Amino acid sequence: TARQFVAEIITSDDPPETLPISEIMELKEVVDKLCTNFKPPELPSEYPFQFYQEEQASLSTVTPSELAEQLTIMLSNKIKKLTPMDFALFYQNENIILDCPRIVEYYEIVDRLKRWISTVIILQASRKKRAEVIEYFITLADNCLLLRNYQGAQLVLQSLTSQSIGRLNETWALVTSSKIS
């Protein structure tokens, strides 16, 4: 499901930056296979969730609206755990890691999501596939805004405007202009 897909990304002990090159190449092959048919499948109306129970979730099986919902739930659950004392300690102390573990945990999750989005885009084999994935994440940001998940929309947009993605000028030229505006 979409929730499991997001949970796997977040709970991974090895962020993509620390993987050996052989594992990155294996990951690239897996991502290429997952993104060959990028449009979500049509589901039979009588069994709307059967497809997701039988197959592992991927970008091609999880719609941006479903991923936005799961992202909103995940981030709101983390924000609900924060207390006013966490914020007071965060702004007063220099030793943030020891004094504010919930805030640190929240920002670690946000940073992992940003790195994951950038990695998924960069690992695409062709400019056209990268453009499709960028359009997917733009739609994800739009869906986050519709759900009033401003932090989710912001982290997606920060990933898309990061140096590693922003410099892909030829890829950005292939992104539909209506998606960008």
Side-chain angles (χ1 to χ4, degrees):
T1 65
R3 175 177 244 163
Q4 292 170 338
F5 184 59
V6 172
E8 287 177 23
I9 295 163
I10 300 305
T11 59
S12 172
D13 289 335
D14 295 323
E17 298 158 24
T18 62
L19 294 175
I21 192 71
S22 60
E23 290 184 32
I24 291 174
M25 295 309 290
E26 289 176 26
L27 180 62
K28 181 183 181 311
E29 290 174 15
V30 169
V31 169
D32 286 343
K33 287 178 186 176
L34 293 175
C35 294
T36 52
N37 285 334
F38 197 68
K39 299 194 183 212
E42 293 292 322
L43 299 176
S45 59
E46 61 269 14
Y47 302 109
F49 298 106
Q50 182 177 1
F51 181 83
Y52 296 109
Q53 292 171 353
E54 292 175 359
E55 293 191 20
Q56 187 174 8
S58 69
L59 281 184
S60 60
T61 60
V62 178
T63 64
S65 60
E66 289 174 322
L67 190 55
E69 289 173 9
Q70 294 303 318
L71 185 63
T72 301
I73 292 168
M74 183 186 64
L75 291 176
S76 66
N77 285 339
K78 291 294 179 186
I79 289 172
K80 285 179 189 176
K81 292 180 182 177
L82 299 176
T83 65
M85 185 58 78
D86 289 330
F87 291 104
L89 290 172
F90 179 75
Y91 288 109
Q92 287 180 344
N93 294 330
E94 294 177 12
N95 197 354
I96 295 169
I97 294 175
L98 293 177
D99 294 335
C100 311
R102 288 183 290 262
I103 289 180
V104 171
E105 179 184 354
Y106 176 77
Y107 281 109
E108 284 176 352
I109 288 173
V110 169
D111 287 340
R112 281 187 182 197
L113 282 168
K114 288 180 197 176
R115 285 193 311 262
W116 173 75
I117 291 170
S118 297
T119 303
V120 168
I121 294 168
I122 290 171
L123 288 178
Q124 299 306 307
S126 68
R127 288 183 210 124
K128 184 178 177 185
K129 286 183 182 179
R130 280 195 298 268
E132 290 174 359
V133 174
I134 287 173
E135 288 179 359
Y136 178 92
F137 285 118
I138 290 171
T139 306
L140 173 64
D142 286 341
N143 284 316
C144 285
L145 287 175
L146 291 174
L147 295 170
R148 297 183 182 173
N149 178 2
Y150 302 112
Q151 179 66 38
Q154 180 184 16
L155 77 88
V156 172
L157 294 176
Q158 284 176 345
S159 297
L160 294 176
T161 57
S162 67
Q163 186 176 9
S164 57
I165 305 302
R167 67 181 178 81
L168 300 173
N169 295 329
E170 294 175 7
T171 300
W172 280 101
L174 297 174
V175 175
T176 309
S177 59
S178 63
K179 288 282 187 183
I180 296 174
S181 56

